[in-house]
Amino acid sequence: MAITVYSKKFEIELDKEQLERLYLKNMSDNLDGFRQFVHEDAECPMCNATGAYYVSEGYSKITGKKVKQACFAFRKADDTDAHKVFCDHYTGPDKVRDSGGDAFIKFGKDGSEITILVRELVCRGIEHKIFNQTDIRNMRKWFAGLRESGNVVINYSPHIINLIRASFYSKGDADEYVVQDGKQYESWFNINDEVYESLKYKYPPFLNIDLNTEENNPLMRLYSKTLAKQAHRLIIKDKGIRIFDRRELNDKYVAVMHLSTAIIKRYDSLRRKFTTPLSIMRNNQLLAVSALLLFVSDWNENMAIDKFNMLANVGNSTMPDAGNVIGMNPFIHYDAWKIIHRIQDLIDSLPDFASIDKEFQVEKKRLSELYGLNKGES
């Protein structure tokens, strides 16, 4: 259930106590109509579902202490869950547990220096009316629309990611995999990597993929084992689920990277921390605030930079609670998604991988025995 809701009346995201106080101050001098107000006013802060019911706090019968926080349940007229199937708060049997939920960020969460800075920028933005919580809500709604409109289904095995990586970047001139006894004791040894190194000889057409074309350029990034593992994980999570093609956001992604770079240049501490484009891509909070500034600027870079410069030059916010909202980075895992989508484009021209999952397990068992391992890694 949702702990906070977006109030259409007050145009702000609030928990129960905060919404109650505003209701008493602006709507009524008693709480008799509060539950009906919540039902008509409140929206889920993640998926914009309506039809909220206020659920009271729970108290221990023994100690009298609060054991359950007040929250909000969203139900339809037929008493089914009103949240959209991909919302974190949805509890139905058809819940979609895709990676899209990774995009959401709590600006109010304490943490690193960049998190504190981003929260402060959000508070300043709201205080100085550069944007408001309705804008933040509308950005989440925009992203929800993208997720709902998705018509791409990833249908290939995640093993293909690492198999392609092994084909491109593994060294050696042998025509088949050679077991090298002793290397299993090296700190870098990974049995899964050895399996991909072995299986690549069964699929030589991988080597015919031209990495010099613009379309295949994203595959060049597979030199990064971290990125390959990320793409592998995303396929496991989203395989068979209808998703949207992240490449539709390319122009917006470029603008967000430019704005994030401009923000970094403003602060010495950030310049020391974010020294490469990859380090910027990996920071959700930074990309989230950049995306927000661009969203309220209709994705115009110059306007967004002007808005940031204004926020950087004003004093600290006097509204520290204004940042207690859920923001989002719609570009999370963007480079991994470009790899995933490009392989999906190529999949019909690649070998038949119908048995790749079984082949992986068989070869893993064989190599584990040859290397004297008790059992392979999962």
Side-chain angles (χ1 to χ4, degrees), residues 42-288:
E43 287 185 354
C44 171
M46 293 193 70
C47 72
N48 308 106
T50 57
Y53 290 88
Y54 162 55
V55 180
S56 301
E57 302 91 336
Y59 293 88
S60 170
K61 293 180 179 179
I62 299 175
T63 65
K65 294 183 178 180
K66 185 189 293 188
V67 294
K68 181 180 178 183
Q69 189 173 355
C71 56
F72 302 89
F74 288 81
R75 313 295 298 178
K76 296 179 182 178
D78 61 0
D79 201 37
T80 58
D81 197 323
H83 293 286
K84 293 176 181 176
V85 293
F86 55 75
C87 181
D88 282 357
H89 301 303
Y90 184 71
T91 58
D94 55 339
K95 181 179 178 66
V96 174
R97 303 181 186 278
D98 69 337
S99 63
D102 295 347
F104 295 96
I105 298 163
K106 291 184 178 180
F107 284 136
K109 184 178 179 180
D110 291 332
S112 67
E113 181 181 9
I114 184 63
T115 302
I116 294 170
L117 172 62
V118 166
R119 173 186 169 84
E120 172 63 21
L121 290 175
V122 171
C123 291
R124 293 181 195 179
I126 292 172
E127 181 174 350
H128 295 278
K129 298 182 170 45
I130 297 298
F131 47 76
N132 54 42
Q133 290 198 8
T134 298
D135 294 318
I136 298 173
R137 169 260 195 190
N138 288 342
M139 186 173 173
R140 294 194 299 257
K141 192 171 184 178
W142 162 75
F143 186 66
L146 288 174
R147 294 174 75 181
E148 286 186 298
S149 68
N151 58 7
V152 175
V153 177
I154 304 301
N155 55 22
Y156 59 86
S157 168
H159 289 309
I160 295 174
I161 292 286
N162 294 302
L163 193 53
I164 291 179
R165 182 177 187 273
S167 297
F168 287 166
Y169 298 109
S170 295
K171 297 180 180 179
D173 299 322
D175 295 328
E176 62 180 11
Y177 178 80
V178 178
V179 173
Q180 301 176 43
D181 190 36
K183 73 176 182 179
Q184 66 266 42
Y185 305 116
E186 299 291 344
S187 60
W188 47 261
F189 180 84
N190 183 296
I191 188 62
N192 288 347
D193 291 341
E194 301 305 311
V195 175
Y196 295 126
E197 180 69 19
S198 176
L199 288 178
K200 78 176 186 181
Y201 293 101
K202 295 186 178 183
Y203 299 99
F206 273 144
L207 301 177
N208 296 327
I209 297 177
D210 186 359
L211 293 179
N212 293 316
T213 67
E214 183 178 353
E215 294 83 359
N216 290 336
N217 187 258
L219 301 183
M220 293 284 287
R221 294 297 312 283
L222 280 174
Y223 72 81
S224 167
K225 189 172 183 178
T226 299
L227 197 59
K229 289 174 67 174
Q230 188 179 78
H232 185 278
R233 179 186 67 81
L234 290 170
I235 293 174
I236 291 174
K237 195 164 188 177
D238 287 7
K239 186 178 180 182
I241 297 174
R242 199 164 49 87
I243 59 174
F244 73 96
D245 190 331
R246 264 61 170 190
R247 292 173 297 186
E248 297 173 10
L249 300 176
N250 188 66
D251 291 345
K252 294 178 174 61
Y253 174 73
V254 171
V256 162
M257 288 295 291
H258 288 167
L259 180 55
S260 296
T261 301
I263 293 174
I264 288 167
K265 289 179 179 178
R266 185 79 184 216
Y267 302 96
D268 290 340
S269 60
L270 298 190
R271 282 200 299 271
R272 292 191 295 269
K273 183 178 180 65
F274 299 103
T275 57
T276 65
L278 185 59
S279 63
I280 298 173
M281 294 173 199
R282 290 176 176 171
N283 190 271
N284 292 332
Q285 294 88 346
L286 181 60
L287 266 61

